[in-house]
Amino acid sequence: GNSVTQMEGPVTLSEEAFLTINCTYTATGYPSLFWYVQYPGEGLQLLLKATKADDKGSNKGFEATYRKETTSFHLEKGSVQVSDSAVYFCALSPRLRGGSEKLVFGKGTKLTVNP
Amino acid sequence: EPEVTQTPSHQVTQMGQEVILRCVPISNHLYFYWYRQILGQKVEFLVSFYNNEISEKSEIFDDQFSVERPDGSNFTLKIRSTKLEDSAMYFCASRVASGRYNEQFFGPGTRLTVL
């Protein structure tokens, strides 16, 4: 079946620290991979995506590379800011013929960045 | 910027009562989804809806659940007889069209508490 495992939180960092949130997946076929972010009181927002092996998604200084050989899609940022404090969700969309392109999510990792 | 809206933000109900959660997807979107997140657990897919019918549903989406698009703007999730284990955050999402490049846009969620 399809599943996503991501690093348990919470993660607390100081401003300008390096961030890594690990994400690995299990899927049949070749899924698309996503990172969503949820700021307090808001809905889930797409942060970045990658649709095939070796693709790198990037946005707002965050990056993640689709690694088929390790079935991973780790999220990284070189220098976090207080405004990055949020919950981060790794997700996949199985690309099955006739499927609805639903998203399969990990549990989420809460990030707190202190000034 | 267009956004998905959900009402109410928080719903408290007694076990056995019916609840209707409401969503207004983005106006030109064609695909609609409901997800839920039980506290501390993963965001789980419930159902997808396209062309006025369910296109896919999960094992969670049993006979107690139903969805409807009663007019051109609303998309509702009904739980006929709520159980304690239905307490969760429910997210609505919509997508403009099919295809792996098309992002799902999420609402802020409705927190359902069943007493």
Side-chain angles (χ1 to χ4, degrees):
Chain A
N2 300 298
S3 67
V4 174
T5 302
Q6 68 180 97
M7 184 172 147
E8 295 278 337
V11 174
T12 303
L13 295 173
S14 297
E15 208 164 22
E16 299 183 4
F18 184 85
L19 169 72
T20 300
I21 300 178
N22 290 336
C23 172
T24 57
Y25 67 90
T26 303
T28 51
Y30 303 95
S32 295
L33 301 174
F34 305 85
W35 277 99
Y36 277 81
V37 59
Q38 185 179 31
Y39 299 103
E42 299 184 17
L44 298 164
Q45 300 174 24
L46 180 65
L47 180 60
L48 52 84
K49 66 184 178 189
T51 56
K52 61 183 188 298
D54 300 325
D55 266 3
K56 179 187 280 189
S58 61
N59 186 25
K60 301 182 182 178
F62 291 89
E63 293 183 340
T65 302
Y66 190 145
R67 300 283 188 206
K68 187 166 174 289
E69 63 276 12
T70 54
T71 61
S72 65
F73 193 55
H74 304 320
L75 182 69
E76 296 182 335
K77 186 173 186 183
S79 176
V80 294
Q81 305 300 312
V82 172
S83 56
D84 294 326
S85 298
V87 181
Y88 292 81
F89 294 90
C90 185
L92 68 81
S93 178
R95 282 155 42 189
L96 303 175
R97 187 185 298 276
S100 68
E101 296 168 61
K102 66 185 179 190
L103 292 167
V104 177
F105 284 91
K107 285 182 84 167
T109 303
K110 183 175 182 180
L111 170 67
T112 301
V113 180
N114 295 319
Chain B
E1 186 177 324
E3 57 183 16
V4 177
T5 59
Q6 291 186 243
T7 54
S9 56
H10 190 189
Q11 172 93 45
V12 181
T13 189
Q14 296 291 324
M15 192 169 58
Q17 295 296 305
E18 174 184 287
V19 295
I20 297 176
L21 309 183
R22 290 184 166 79
C23 169
V24 179
I26 295 173
S27 62
N28 63 335
H29 284 193
L30 302 176
Y31 292 78
F32 312 111
Y33 305 82
W34 283 102
Y35 295 83
R36 78 172 186 190
Q37 184 182 30
I38 295 171
L39 188 63
Q41 297 187 26
K42 297 183 179 189
V43 177
E44 302 170 291
F45 166 77
L46 292 178
V47 66
S48 60
F49 191 85
Y50 169 70
N51 200 26
N52 283 320
E53 60 183 25
I54 290 173
S55 50
E56 187 174 354
K57 60 183 181 179
S58 71
E59 316 81 60
I60 303 166
F61 195 88
D62 61 21
D63 292 344
Q64 292 300 312
F65 291 88
S66 62
V67 289
E68 197 176 32
R69 188 155 161 81
D71 52 42
S73 59
N74 290 283
F75 178 52
T76 61
L77 174 69
K78 182 192 292 186
I79 309 174
R80 286 190 187 81
S81 178
T82 49
K83 303 189 274 284
L84 295 176
E85 55 265 36
D86 293 327
S87 294
M89 181 73 89
Y90 288 80
F91 294 105
C92 173
S94 68
R95 179 207 294 266
V96 62
S98 183
R100 64 181 186 260
Y101 301 108
N102 290 301
E103 175 185 349
Q104 288 186 31
F105 290 81
F106 283 78
T110 293
R111 181 168 298 284
L112 176 65
T113 302
V114 182
L115 302 175

